Amino acid sequence: MRITICGAAGRMGQAIIAVAKADPDIQIAGTLEYDGNEVIGTGDPIIASVKDLEKFLTETDVVIDFTNPESALKNLETSKKYNVPFVIGTTGFTQEQKKIISEIAKSVPVVFSPNMSVGVNILFKLVEEVAKKVPDYDIEIVELHHNKKKDSPSGTAAKLAEVAASALGENINNVGVYGRHSSNEAREKGEIGVLSVRAGDIIGDHTVYFAGLGERIELTHRAHSRDTFAAGAVRAAKWAVGQKPGLYDMSNVLSLKGSAI
């Protein structure tokens, strides 16, 4: 299988390259970065400008993208021209941008997930199950990431909140509270709180609290290495090849849809 990696010089891009090199079933067709990046022309394999993406697509079975929302959409549009499956690990998309992704996915297989790790996607399923079992408990989500992370809350935290809200028959846009700052306002019943911490070199910690009278349930995932995300992205890429056009996520890749854990 031949893959092209967009965002190759970033933390995730470098981790994916390492995982791909160690996999005998994978060949790296191309590694790309934004035009003007000082790394272009360096690396192993040599990094090219993303402006040249089309040159690589004829020799590519699947594209993995860890860039930014605007670049990811452009790269997805380009890949669609060549019917090349696309894996999106990029986060920070607006609702309108997500609609565009859904529309393009009608023509080409797209795996779109805010987090590619196996553990986090099992966490999504657990949160759904617990929320249904204790619908009257308060739900709060705390996420920790390194001090260079740009989007807040993280895509994973936002997804956890969406999953919890959906399990309760709610829309996260109506019940989500992001951060808290108040001198005289108590928490309202039914809110789902999401709080972000940015410090040091934390790779990614997510905890979902279900708190009732006299007890609480804590579901936590801690990432020890970016390799787990890279391995998940490569796993998603392998799965995407040969799939019918459609919008998929890691629950499809891991066969978690409809399963009870």
Side-chain angles (χ1 to χ4, degrees), residues 21 52 173 175 179 209 229 241:
K21 283 183 174 180
D52 297 326
N173 294 325
V175 298
Y209 297 88
F229 308 128
V241 175

Side-chain angles (χ1 to χ4, degrees), residues 14-32:
Q14 288 295 296
I16 292 168
I17 289 172
V19 170
K21 283 183 174 180
D23 191 326
D25 297 325
I26 291 179
Q27 292 181 329
I28 299 177
T31 56
L32 308 174

Side-chain angles (χ1 to χ4, degrees), residues 20-218:
K21 283 183 174 180
D23 191 326
D25 297 325
I26 291 179
Q27 292 181 329
I28 299 177
T31 56
L32 308 174
E33 264 296 344
Y34 66 87
D35 193 47
N37 192 312
E38 62 183 11
V39 302
I40 291 174
T42 69
D44 178 24
I46 294 175
I47 298 173
S49 168
V50 74
K51 289 176 64 177
D52 297 326
L53 175 58
E54 290 197 50
K55 296 179 181 179
F56 294 92
L57 290 176
T58 56
E59 302 295 328
T60 296
D61 295 308
V62 59
V63 173
I64 301 176
D65 188 289
F66 278 83
T67 56
N68 61 63
E70 291 73 24
S71 293
L73 287 178
K74 290 179 182 178
N75 298 337
L76 176 57
E77 286 276 11
T78 303
S79 296
K80 173 190 170 185
K81 297 178 185 177
Y82 293 81
N83 295 315
V84 175
F86 204 87
V87 175
I88 304 174
T90 303
T91 60
F93 292 96
T94 65
Q95 289 303 315
E96 189 59 35
Q97 289 171 326
K98 290 178 181 179
K99 290 179 182 178
I100 295 172
I101 293 171
S102 297
E103 189 63 29
I104 294 174
K106 294 177 181 178
S107 302
V108 65
V110 177
V111 179
F112 180 30
S113 178
N115 195 306
M116 297 288 177
S117 88
V118 172
V120 161
N121 283 277
I122 291 174
L123 178 62
F124 291 150
K125 190 65 179 177
L126 290 172
V127 167
E128 178 185 6
E129 296 296 327
V130 174
K132 290 178 179 178
K133 297 295 184 182
V134 289
D136 57 330
Y137 279 31
D138 295 333
I139 302 174
E140 296 282 314
I141 300 166
V142 179
E143 55 102 349
L144 294 77
H145 280 88
H146 55 86
N147 58 20
K148 299 294 189 294
K149 186 168 178 62
K150 295 180 179 180
D151 57 323
S152 178
S154 69
T156 301
K159 176 70 172 180
L160 287 166
E162 290 173 8
V163 168
S166 179
L168 298 175
E170 299 285 353
N171 186 317
I172 190 58
N173 294 325
N174 298 329
V175 298
V177 176
Y178 299 90
R180 295 189 184 278
H181 179 74
S182 173
S183 59
N184 188 28
E185 186 175 345
R187 183 187 195 281
E188 292 187 11
K189 185 67 176 175
E191 289 181 355
I192 296 179
V194 184
L195 300 97
S196 301
V197 175
R198 298 289 177 265
D201 61 354
I202 301 169
I203 292 175
D205 290 6
H206 296 85
T207 297
V208 183
Y209 297 88
F210 296 87
L213 293 177
E215 67 174 6
R216 70 177 181 269
I217 302 166
E218 300 179 14

